[in-house]
């Protein structure tokens, strides 16, 4: 029989990525590479205003332009009343709001909100036609900052939105959609018993995931009512469900195919433009494609949420965290659903304060509706929490790692939501950092400082499905239903090959479409490898059992006496009578074509914690305030590194996104809610030149349950950089940076204020 | 209707002869007129480098060049980088060193890196980072890309 999952030792090979060849030769097919006979291009007309009522729309001139084949407005879409979940993953949205986000009805709620769309023979004609659409707006006062949006008298976005909280629903509408509360113990007593208290407010701005490939989707509405969709989506099945719900179509009539996804990081978990393509295709009878421009991507897709966080910590002289109080205000953008609950949960999850009270608010603003961005909510929470924790360590005169160790969460401890931590090696991670040469290496530079930060993420599970087919030559075809955002296909090939005793080259993998494979959830939340590993394990076991049946007679025994281990089938107690998997599979498949197994993981299996730690060195230019990273080490516990190259790639990429968030990136709005930096020149992401090497330390504390001990990898690396860099800057120049990004200008003024003896916190 | 311009150029070593409207970028010319979709659009304003091609020995953002401008020139794109059955050492190094994830920026990085190694076969790490600063990657953090270029330089 197949060994138990725990007995299978993955070699953790650095296998070249199975998707690499088409990507280095330019043949990989991304969203905008889809071409079809008679394909039309469509453009979206978007609101120039951040907040306005639509008085009327006249599309007649656009429709009359030669080359235009279809025009749609909000009036062409069904009115969705359902408040239920649209299933968009970590940062969910209701169906009604998703529908109104795809295209505005009576009101526009952010600059860039779609109002109409035109399909034409060429993109140029479509663009020209959008300029011919006449719209009269009644412009309203807008609000971009979530704290301002909470204030009495702020412009109200939704007149029917009542704050939900543990106590029920508020009586009067406001911009606060949700108030969450977490905590334990008596915080007032905890602060009273504390020898030291630190308290500070931290502020962050909206940031973008910054994927290099803009959203690109194509739809073909056929005359029999069936619909084909090609999308660079994170989840083909949930995409189909969203389409069927907001367009009131039969899901069985919609076939969704995923293209290669040129970066997503959470933002492509939600359908955005294919509903427009579908109705334009229905109107024109031809396939329709929309490819967003970079300006549209930055202005009007789903960025990561801004937050304002106030944190108060009390501790005793011996380093015991007595009480934590925190207030999180997250901006959701135009419709509710910011990652509030999870941000609150992540903030102090690494620690075990005796008492805690955490309040979180989900606030709507006249900005694009946020989407998930890699560990959504956790990065800003960790930035605030880790800054405050470091402040406290300094006040106590303790080493920052020692203070953290004195309060660290361990296996079996409770998190703030009363859930028990399953196997967690966060203490081991801190000890590994303390023992690492980087932690004690001499600093380089005149104004140099070193900081650490840690981050925690619960990881997800959901459902993943695969189908395994034994080919006539004894090789395996593996079809999966999850989209590959992070080399997951390569890991799956390794898992299948090693479980069956094949070479990776004997496993061919393809990504299925919504008609060829059972449901698989959206790729997100660092859930895919762990859940699919379980499905692949079960499918492999099923294949092995089928082969046993077929080859038993060949081995001269009945099937129950056939054993399989280390890639060999053998008759029990019969020496020298064995067959390799490949030979046995070829033999078994020779007379039949039906050795097939499908499997899905158990969605009730528990997710495994993810956590990461950074040590960051900075050197601050005293004349310009520019912090330069000089050394950076990223630690992460991944449970089991299926493919260390892929794991390092995730860690390095996530860390650099966190570094960009910490140092450069932010949305800048003018007073009317118009984005001022909607280009990659002005929204500046890190280049190769801005960065040192990102050294990785992979730790492997096996996760409980599920095969191979794997944890999710993708989310945690983005969480700690902002806190670690803020702490490094503080240690370098003595100023506490309370606003992200910690741009040269902000650091410069913070240093100037400190030199002038101002007690004002750094900010602008 | 704007009259199209006739363009005769060399594309990946082969002669091409086509008509293109005067306002169409080289990027759109390659992708839409000539069917070479390996060159990618990330921003269309010269800031991400996903559309990098080699024009007469210099790397350019093809979104910022007009298709009509390449008349009489030689253009190299990602499709012309490998020889039949044999990857360019840079492609091989990117594959072996896991220097890519989503892959959308990869063609631009390869074209840029090739231009560097054609000029300077043994660049320092700083030089590689400086040269590649015109290409944005959001997945890798650049570490493995820089190492792959170093490896390709060593193998040459």
């Amino acid at each position: 029989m197949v060994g138990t999952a725990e007995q299978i030792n993955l070699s953790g090979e650095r296998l070249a990525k199975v998707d690499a060849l088409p990507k280095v030769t330019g043949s990989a097919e991304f969203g905008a590479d889809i071409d079809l006979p008679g394909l039309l291009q469509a453009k979206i007309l978007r609101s120039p205003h951040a907040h306005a009522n639509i008085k009327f729309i006249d599309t007649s001139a656009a429709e009359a332009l030669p080359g235009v084949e279809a025009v749609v407005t909000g009036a062409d879409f069904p009115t969705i009343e359902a408040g239920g979940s649209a299933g968009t993953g970590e940062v969910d949205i209701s169906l009604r709001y998703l529908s109104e986000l795809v295209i505005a009805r009576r009101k526009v709620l952010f600059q860039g909100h779609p109002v109409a769309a035109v399909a034409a023979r060429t993109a140029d004609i479509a663009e020209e036609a959008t300029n011919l659409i006449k719209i009269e707006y009644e412009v309203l006062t807008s609000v971009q900052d979530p704290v301002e949006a909470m204030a009495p008298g702020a412009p109200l976005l939704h007149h029917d939105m009542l704050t939900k909280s543990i106590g029920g629903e508020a009586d009067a509408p406001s911009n606060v959609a949700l108030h969450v509360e977490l905590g334990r113990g008596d915080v007032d007593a905890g602060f009273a018993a504390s020898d030291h208290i630190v308290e500070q407010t931290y502020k962050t701005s909206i940031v973008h995931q910054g994927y290099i490939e803009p959203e690109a989707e194509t739809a073909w509405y056929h005359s029999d009512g069936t619909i084909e969709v090609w999308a660079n989506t994170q989840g083909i099945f949930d995409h189909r469900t969203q389409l069927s719900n907001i367009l009131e179509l039969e899901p069985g009539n919609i076939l969704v195919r995923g293209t290669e996804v040129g970066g997503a990081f959470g933002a492509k978990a939600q359908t955005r433009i294919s509903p427009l393509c579908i109705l334009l295709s229905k109107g024109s009878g031809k396939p329709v494609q929309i490819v967003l421009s970079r300006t549209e991507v930055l202005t009007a897709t789903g960025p990561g949420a801004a937050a304002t966080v106030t944190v108060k910590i009390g501790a005793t002289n011996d380093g015991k965290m007595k009480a934590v109080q925190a207030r999180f205000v997250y901006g959701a953008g135009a419709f509710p659903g910011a990652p509030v609950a999870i941000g609150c949960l992540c903030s102090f999850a690494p620690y075990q304060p005796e008492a805690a009270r955490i309040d979180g608010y989900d606030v709507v603003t006249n900005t694009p509706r946020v989407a998930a961005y890699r560990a959504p909510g956790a990065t800003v929470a960790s930035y605030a929490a880790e800054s405050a924790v470091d402040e406290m360590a300094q006040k106590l005169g303790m080493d920052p790692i020692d203070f953290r160790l004195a309060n660290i969460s361990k296996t079996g401890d409770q998190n703030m939501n009363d859930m028990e931590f399953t196997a967690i090696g966060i203490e081991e991670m801190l000890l590994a950092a303390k023992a690492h040469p980087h932690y004690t290496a001499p600093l380089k530079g005149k104004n140099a400082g070193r900081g650490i930060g840690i981050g925690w993420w619960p990881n997800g599970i959901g459902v993943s499905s695969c189908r395994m087919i034994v080919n006539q030559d004894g090789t395996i075809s593996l079809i999966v239903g999850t989209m590959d955002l992070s080399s997951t296909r390569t890991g799956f090939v390794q898992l299948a090959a090693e479980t069956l005793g094949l070479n990776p080259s004997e496993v061919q993998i393809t990504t299925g479409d919504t008609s060829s494979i059972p449901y698989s959830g959206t790729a997100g939340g660092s859930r895919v490898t762990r859940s699919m590993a379980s499905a692949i394990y079960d499918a492999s076991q099923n294949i092995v059992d089928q082969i046993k049946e077929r080859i038993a007679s060949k081995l001269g025994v009945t099937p129950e006496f056939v054993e399989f281990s280390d890639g060999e089938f053998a008759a029990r107690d019969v020496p020298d009578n064995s067959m390799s998997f490949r030979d046995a599979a070829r033999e078994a498949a020779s007379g039949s074509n039906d050795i097939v197994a499908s499997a899905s993981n158990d969605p009730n299996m528990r997710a495994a914690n993810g956590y990461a730690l950074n040590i960051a060195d900075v050197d601050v230019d005293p004349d310009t305030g520019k912090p330069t990273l000089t050394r950076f080490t990223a630690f992460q516990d991944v449970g089991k590194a299926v493919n260390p190259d892929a794991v390092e790639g995730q860690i390095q990429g996530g860390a650099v996104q966190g570094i960009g968030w910490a140092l450069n990136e932010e949305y800048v709005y003018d007073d009317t809610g118009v984005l001022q930096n909607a280009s990659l020149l002005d929204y500046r992401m890190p280049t190769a030149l801005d960065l040192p090497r990102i050294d990785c330390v992979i730790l492997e504390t096996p996760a409980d349950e599920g095969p191979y001990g794997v944890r999710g990898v993708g989310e945690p690396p983005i969480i700690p950089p902002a806190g670690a860099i803020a702490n490094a800057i503080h240690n370098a120049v003595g100023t506490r940076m309370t606003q992200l990004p910690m741009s040269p200008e902000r650091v410069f003024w913070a240093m100037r204020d400190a030199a002038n003896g101002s007690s004002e916190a750094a900010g602008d | 209707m704007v009259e199209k311009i006739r363009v005769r150029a060399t594309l990946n070593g082969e002669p091409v002869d086509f008509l293109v409207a005067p306002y169409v970028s080289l990027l759109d010319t390659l992708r839409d007129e000539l069917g070479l979709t390996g060159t990618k659009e990330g921003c269309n304003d010269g800031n991400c480098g996903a559309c990098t091609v080699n024009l007469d020995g210099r790397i350019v953002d093809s979104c910022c060049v007009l298709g009509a401008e390449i008349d009489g020139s030689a253009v190299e794109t990602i499709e012309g980088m490998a020889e039949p059955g044999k990857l360019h050492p840079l492609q091989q190094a990117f594959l072996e060193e896991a220097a890519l994830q989503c892959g959308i920026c990869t063609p631009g990085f390869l074209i840029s890196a090739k231009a560097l190694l054609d000029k300077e076969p043994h660049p320092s790490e700083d030089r590689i980072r400086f040269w590649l600063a015109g290409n944005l990657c959001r997945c890798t953090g650049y570490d493995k890309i820089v190492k792959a270029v170093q490896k390709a330089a060593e193998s040459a």
Side-chain angles (χ1 to χ4, degrees):
Chain A
M1 70 171 266
V2 178
T4 63
E6 290 70 28
Q7 290 169 328
I8 293 173
N9 288 318
L10 277 175
S11 59
E13 199 187 340
R14 289 178 184 266
L15 179 70
K17 292 168 197 275
V18 297
D19 53 325
L21 186 62
K23 287 176 177 175
V24 298
T25 54
S27 65
E29 200 165 59
F30 290 88
D33 300 334
I34 298 297
D35 197 9
L36 295 165
L39 182 66
L40 304 180
Q41 293 294 329
K43 291 286 175 187
I44 300 168
L45 179 65
R46 296 173 180 278
S47 167
H49 307 296
H51 198 189
N53 288 318
I54 300 171
K55 306 301 280 186
F56 77 84
I57 303 179
D58 177 4
T59 60
S60 54
E63 285 164 36
L65 186 73
V68 169
E69 304 241 0
V71 179
V72 293
T73 68
D76 299 303
F77 284 72
T79 301
I80 305 295
E81 299 291 351
S85 160
T88 56
E90 298 156 320
V91 176
D92 205 2
I93 187 168
S94 78
L95 286 169
R96 176 192 150 191
Y97 288 143
L98 175 62
S99 160
E100 292 175 14
L101 176 57
V102 166
I103 193 157
R105 308 300 154 83
R106 287 169 296 280
K107 203 178 180 193
V108 290
L109 293 162
F110 60 98
Q111 180 216 358
H113 201 160
V115 178
V118 180
R121 227 170 40 234
T122 69
D124 294 328
I125 297 171
E127 180 103 50
E128 193 184 338
T130 59
N131 295 329
L132 297 174
I133 296 174
K134 294 189 190 73
I135 304 184
E136 189 183 318
Y137 291 104
E138 177 195 4
V139 179
L140 305 168
T141 313
S142 72
V143 61
Q144 278 70 48
D145 182 88
V147 173
E148 288 172 21
M150 287 177 87
L156 201 58
L157 273 74
H158 303 281
H159 288 274
D160 57 353
M161 200 179 80
L162 306 171
T163 307
K164 289 191 178 69
S165 65
I166 293 170
E169 250 179 18
D171 298 329
S174 74
N175 290 325
V176 181
L178 179 70
H179 173 204
V180 299
E181 295 166 72
L182 286 174
R184 62 171 167 237
D186 183 344
V187 285
D188 296 330
F191 286 122
S194 296
D195 298 312
H196 299 279
I197 288 175
V198 296
E199 184 170 8
Q200 185 62 268
T201 297
Y202 302 87
K203 191 172 172 356
T204 74
S205 302
I206 298 173
V207 293
H208 200 272
Q209 295 83 353
Y211 40 84
I212 306 298
E213 183 203 27
E215 279 81 351
E217 297 177 3
T218 307
W220 198 348
Y221 195 110
H222 296 289
S223 55
D224 61 358
T226 61
I227 298 159
E228 289 177 280
V229 173
W230 292 258
N232 52 7
T233 172
Q234 290 175 236
I236 50 176
F237 290 93
D238 293 336
H239 194 95
R240 177 172 70 170
T241 306
Q242 291 160 27
L243 291 175
S244 84
N245 280 329
I246 68 169
L247 295 175
E248 296 182 334
L249 298 165
E250 286 296 324
N253 280 347
I254 307 171
L255 173 73
V256 178
R257 295 191 180 90
T259 65
E260 291 291 341
V261 182
F265 313 112
K268 292 175 181 168
Q270 158 196 318
T271 183
R272 197 170 290 284
I273 50 181
S274 42
L276 303 170
C277 295
I278 287 174
L279 290 197
L280 289 166
S281 178
K282 188 181 182 185
S284 63
K286 294 174 184 166
V288 174
Q289 183 170 74
I290 295 179
V291 180
L292 295 191
S293 70
R294 178 56 54 179
T295 308
E296 289 178 292
V297 169
L298 288 168
T299 309
T301 59
T308 297
V309 187
T310 302
V311 182
K312 184 178 174 186
I313 301 178
T316 48
N317 283 325
D318 60 356
K320 198 68 210 145
M321 221 185 265
K322 299 296 282 185
V324 162
Q325 192 172 339
R327 180 178 188 264
F328 290 81
V329 178
Y330 282 92
F335 300 98
V340 179
I342 200 158
C344 291
L345 182 65
C346 289
S347 60
F348 281 91
Y351 307 110
Q352 291 290 311
E354 284 177 19
R357 186 164 69 223
I358 299 178
D359 289 275
Y361 298 89
D362 179 19
V363 183
V364 293
T365 55
N366 293 114
T367 55
R369 204 300 188 153
V370 299
Y373 178 18
R374 204 166 195 157
T379 301
V380 293
S382 163
Y383 156 62
E386 289 297 293
S387 296
V389 165
D390 234 57
E391 285 280 291
M392 181 57 85
Q394 205 137 46
K395 250 190 173 168
L396 295 169
M398 285 180 79
D399 173 272
I401 289 184
D402 289 342
F403 177 56
R404 285 171 171 85
L405 280 170
N407 296 283
I408 207 71
S409 295
K410 296 174 188 169
T411 307
D413 283 344
Q414 305 262 308
N415 201 347
M416 298 289 179
N417 59 355
D418 299 330
M419 295 279 282
E420 202 174 274
F421 287 108
T422 54
I424 184 168
I426 200 162
E427 183 181 20
E428 291 79 354
M429 182 173 73
L430 277 163
L431 291 169
K434 198 173 178 189
H436 193 277
H438 183 174
Y439 194 61
T440 47
L443 283 162
K444 286 178 192 155
K446 281 188 187 147
N447 293 289
R450 175 169 297 145
I452 68 154
I454 59 181
W456 179 88
W457 177 252
N459 286 333
I461 278 296
V463 178
S464 295
S465 304
C466 70
R467 173 172 294 155
M468 220 176 245
I469 299 168
V470 178
N471 298 316
Q472 297 268 294
D473 63 355
T475 60
I476 292 287
S477 290
L478 178 61
I479 308 167
V480 295
T482 48
M483 299 303 294
D484 183 354
L485 309 176
S486 53
S487 312
T488 49
R489 278 171 293 191
T490 306
F492 299 156
V493 165
Q494 287 180 281
L495 290 168
E498 301 213 17
T499 307
L500 296 173
L502 289 169
N503 291 319
S505 63
E506 294 171 307
V507 179
Q508 297 95 42
I509 189 163
T510 48
T511 304
D513 58 42
T514 53
S515 294
S516 65
I517 179 98
Y519 175 84
S520 293
T522 296
S526 298
R527 61 162 213 89
V528 167
T529 298
R530 184 166 157 84
S531 56
M532 189 68 88
S534 175
I536 288 172
Y537 176 76
D538 287 349
S540 302
Q541 196 161 29
N542 184 325
I543 291 285
V544 164
D545 288 343
Q546 292 186 52
I547 291 174
K548 281 180 183 175
E549 291 281 338
R550 308 278 177 101
I551 62 157
S553 60
K554 187 94 180 171
L555 293 172
V557 291
T558 51
E560 62 268 31
F561 289 99
V562 182
E563 293 182 334
F564 180 72
S565 65
D566 293 334
E568 297 271 324
F569 288 91
R572 192 186 303 164
D573 302 330
V574 182
D576 304 324
N577 197 3
S578 69
M579 291 173 89
S580 70
F581 179 88
R582 178 79 188 262
D583 288 342
R586 189 192 291 118
E587 177 75 24
S590 66
S592 113
N593 295 322
D594 63 346
I595 306 182
V596 177
S598 283
S600 303
N601 65 296
D602 173 4
N604 296 318
M605 72 189 278
R606 281 195 290 182
N609 299 289
Y611 36 92
L613 180 153
N614 293 161
I615 306 175
D617 291 2
V618 297
D619 188 22
V620 179
D621 183 327
D623 296 326
T624 64
K626 183 173 190 280
T628 300
L629 271 180
T630 53
R631 187 171 177 186
F632 196 93
T633 307
F635 298 75
Q636 189 173 335
D637 190 340
V638 302
K640 173 71 201 175
V642 177
N643 182 330
D645 272 338
V647 167
E648 285 168 7
Q650 286 289 299
I651 293 175
Q652 290 164 339
V656 168
Q657 284 185 312
I659 291 167
W661 197 335
L663 294 176
N664 300 329
E665 298 176 31
E666 66 180 319
Y667 273 30
V668 180
Y669 283 100
D670 73 6
D671 293 344
T672 65
V674 172
L675 186 61
Q676 300 296 292
N677 58 334
S679 83
L680 293 181
L681 182 64
D682 299 317
Y683 184 87
R684 196 172 173 286
M685 307 196 294
T687 71
L689 191 60
D690 299 319
L691 297 160
R693 291 183 185 181
I694 309 296
D695 295 322
C696 298
V697 176
I698 297 175
L699 303 165
E700 294 184 316
T701 307
D704 290 333
E705 300 179 18
Y708 317 106
V710 297
R711 298 171 187 272
V713 177
E715 322 303 277
I718 198 175
I719 306 172
I725 293 170
N727 293 336
I729 291 173
H730 183 257
N731 293 336
V733 294
T735 54
R736 175 54 59 188
M737 299 305 300
T738 59
Q739 187 169 1
L740 297 186
M742 298 173 278
S743 59
E745 187 186 2
R746 286 206 182 102
V747 176
F748 176 83
W749 287 114
M751 288 162 64
R752 176 73 66 91
D753 287 347
N756 292 342
S758 158
S759 61
E760 282 291 298
D764 57 10
Chain B
M1 197 77 186
V2 188
E3 198 168 308
K4 288 188 173 181
I5 296 172
R6 183 176 180 187
V7 178
R8 279 159 289 195
T10 305
L11 180 57
N12 295 327
E14 299 289 329
V16 285
D17 187 345
F18 58 92
L19 297 175
V20 64
Y23 54 83
V24 176
S25 70
L26 175 57
L27 171 61
D28 288 344
T29 304
L30 290 167
R31 289 181 57 86
D32 301 338
E33 312 285 333
L34 302 171
L36 296 183
T37 55
T39 304
K40 303 300 182 189
E41 176 180 327
C43 70
N44 212 29
D45 56 14
N47 283 300
C48 79
C51 67
T52 305
V53 300
N54 193 307
L55 175 61
D56 293 330
R58 291 173 53 204
I59 48 170
V60 294
D61 290 322
S62 62
C63 68
C64 296
V65 176
L66 293 171
E69 283 184 88
I70 69 163
D71 190 49
S73 292
V75 174
E76 286 171 28
T77 70
I78 188 66
E79 286 89 349
M81 200 158 169
E83 287 168 33
K86 188 169 182 291
L87 293 178
H88 185 277
L90 272 164
Q91 290 172 309
Q92 192 64 36
F94 268 55
L95 194 147
E96 287 170 3
E97 294 299 300
L100 58 93
Q101 284 178 40
C102 83
I104 194 82
C105 71
T106 308
F109 268 97
L110 285 166
I111 293 289
S112 290
K114 180 172 181 292
L116 173 62
L117 297 191
D118 286 348
K119 261 192 230 298
E120 303 170 34
H122 300 289
S124 66
E125 180 179 340
D126 279 352
R127 180 70 178 146
I128 294 169
R129 286 184 179 272
F130 180 81
W131 185 272
L132 295 179
N135 293 80
L136 291 176
C137 169
R138 194 62 158 174
C139 295
T140 65
Y142 304 103
D143 223 83
K144 290 181 186 298
I145 292 176
V146 172
K147 283 183 182 138
V149 176
Q150 288 175 310
K151 182 177 179 177
E154 282 159 21
S155 72

